[in-house]
Amino acid sequence: MAAACARTIGKVGWNILESPACRAGNIASLVPRVSLHGSSRAYGTGVAGFRSKLLFTPLRVGRVLGCAYLVGGGLGLYQTIQLSVQHHLAEEEGKAYSDGDLKLTLYQYKTCPFCSKVRAFLDYHRLPYEIVEVNPVMRKEIKWSIYRKVPILMVNDDVQLNDSSVIISALKTQLISKETISEILRCYPEMKAVNEKGKEVTEFNNKYWVMVNEAEGQTMYPEKDSRKEEIKWRKWADDWLVHLISPNVYRTTGEALASFDYIVREGKFGTYEGFFAKYVGAAAMFVISKRLKSRHNLQDDVRQDLYKAVNDWVAAIGKKKFMGGDQPNLADLAVYGILRVMEGLEAWDDMMENTKVKSWYRCMEKATQSHEDHN
């Protein structure tokens, strides 16, 4: 419609300019009830003055009106084309998202629980992604980023998602709503705060919320309070469960060495960095784990806190296959992602042997499969 109006205005202007009346100076016949008496006016710009005559003759008025219509039509057509191009690009972007054709690049440490959470989500939803393993010492792979933590997820090379819970919530929102990631990201504003140590930290509002409308929410959360439970256990995983990992995998000097052997083997270290990380890092983390035990008020035998946390989780699931029912929800994926970083270590073996988590854990393994199977 806007394009048609622009073309019409342009046509009117051209007709005025080309009309016999305009050429003859009788513009009054084309534009009725307009006074066309000639006049002159002088404008001064100083003592000497500068005088310029504007002769409003019928012929000139006709040409001015014609030009005005042409210019107006041209500007209108330009704006219409510009809006059409923007609309087309938006549609193409939306189509790419709706078709699931997202290019995802995950910057991570493989053994980081928060990175493992994101991989569990991506694997479960069969979203192809590339991995960039970040060197934990130099972190040159993310030197381009102001945000210096991992995970970082780049979407289509131009949208950066930070924080594991924001990444998961934003992607889940996109899968359901089909909105663009850029639009969705506005729902999770970044905020700066100062923690109890006086250090500035970055937090994200609404990071445990999937931003869907009422109808979509009822489909995603059919049972009463299921959304509230999902948010509760996702927060529990970040605020409590994840803090039990380090004290347990670095519980003794032997376990600390075994853990760092695994970290060096799976991570991105140079030869000397790997040697330094394994022995110096293991010793440092053994000491730090004791501080973490004190900070989080853990028992002397930190295994007992791990066992209790895992059994509390299993009890909350109850007789269901997953917290989400027949299919894992975001809490299932978060807890599984955190626990699996201990695989191959003594802490994981003890957990599987001394808790009731095995059945649920095996189901989660099957549900997520491996990155390589579908990437």
Side-chain angles (χ1 to χ4, degrees), residues 13 26 72 74 132 138 248 269 274 279 289 303 327 360:
N26 189 21
V132 176
M138 302 302 295
N248 273 278
F269 291 90
Y279 293 99
S289 69
R303 283 288 198 273
Q327 299 295 329
W360 169 84

Side-chain angles (χ1 to χ4, degrees), residues 84-295:
S84 297
V85 170
Q86 291 174 350
H87 181 67
H88 174 71
L89 291 174
E91 284 185 337
E92 288 297 312
E93 183 184 12
K95 182 179 178 183
Y97 282 117
S98 62
D99 290 342
D101 190 23
L102 296 177
K103 180 184 178 184
L104 305 176
T105 305
L106 177 64
Y107 292 81
Q108 67 155 22
Y109 307 145
K110 184 175 181 179
T111 55
C112 166
F114 298 107
C115 298
S116 181
K117 279 170 51 184
V118 175
R119 292 200 310 273
F121 174 87
L122 296 173
D123 291 342
Y124 173 69
H125 288 285
R126 307 298 186 263
L127 295 174
Y129 60 99
E130 296 178 3
I131 289 177
V132 176
E133 193 68 26
V134 177
N135 182 297
V137 179
M138 302 302 295
R139 294 186 291 180
K140 61 182 180 181
E141 293 80 7
I142 55 172
K143 66 181 180 181
W144 47 268
S145 174
I146 297 174
Y147 186 80
R148 300 297 291 165
K149 297 179 180 180
V150 292
I152 294 172
L153 186 74
M154 291 300 299
V155 180
N156 294 342
D157 293 328
D158 59 1
V159 180
Q160 180 177 343
L161 300 182
N162 305 322
D163 186 275
S164 61
S165 293
V166 172
I167 292 170
I168 290 168
S169 294
L171 287 180
K172 186 66 175 181
T173 300
Q174 193 278 324
L175 290 173
I176 297 171
S177 70
K178 306 302 180 185
E179 295 288 337
T180 65
I181 288 292
S182 297
E183 288 294 322
I184 293 169
L185 199 55
R186 296 178 183 178
C187 298
Y188 306 98
E190 179 179 312
M191 299 191 68
K192 300 293 184 182
V194 177
N195 63 16
E196 63 277 5
K197 294 183 177 180
K199 182 180 178 182
E200 185 178 81
V201 294
T202 302
E203 280 296 337
F204 298 87
N205 280 354
N206 311 318
K207 66 180 182 178
Y208 297 108
W209 282 83
V210 179
M211 300 300 178
V212 293
N213 60 38
E214 186 176 353
E216 293 164 343
Q218 289 176 351
T219 300
M220 185 175 176
Y221 304 106
E223 296 182 10
K224 183 181 178 181
D225 295 331
S226 56
R227 185 177 202 165
K228 186 187 297 184
E229 284 295 296
E230 180 183 79
I231 292 173
K232 168 189 170 182
W233 287 100
R234 287 181 70 190
K235 291 183 68 175
W236 172 85
D238 284 353
D239 295 342
W240 178 243
L241 182 64
V242 74
H243 296 300
L244 300 178
I245 303 301
S246 291
N248 273 278
V249 299
Y250 305 121
R251 185 180 60 156
T252 66
T253 53
E255 287 182 272
L257 277 172
S259 296
F260 263 88
D261 183 63
Y262 169 70
I263 290 171
V264 171
R265 188 171 65 250
E266 297 294 335
K268 186 175 183 178
F269 291 90
T271 304
Y272 297 108
E273 286 178 340
F275 178 85
F276 182 85
K278 180 176 179 179
Y279 293 99
V280 178
M285 285 308 300
F286 173 73
V287 174
I288 291 172
S289 69
K290 305 307 177 186
R291 295 178 182 174
L292 292 174
K293 183 174 75 172
S294 175
R295 179 188 301 175

Side-chain angles (χ1 to χ4, degrees), residues 29 71 82 105 169 193 260 366:
S29 63
V71 171
Q82 186 181 45
T105 305
S169 294
F260 263 88
K366 292 178 181 178

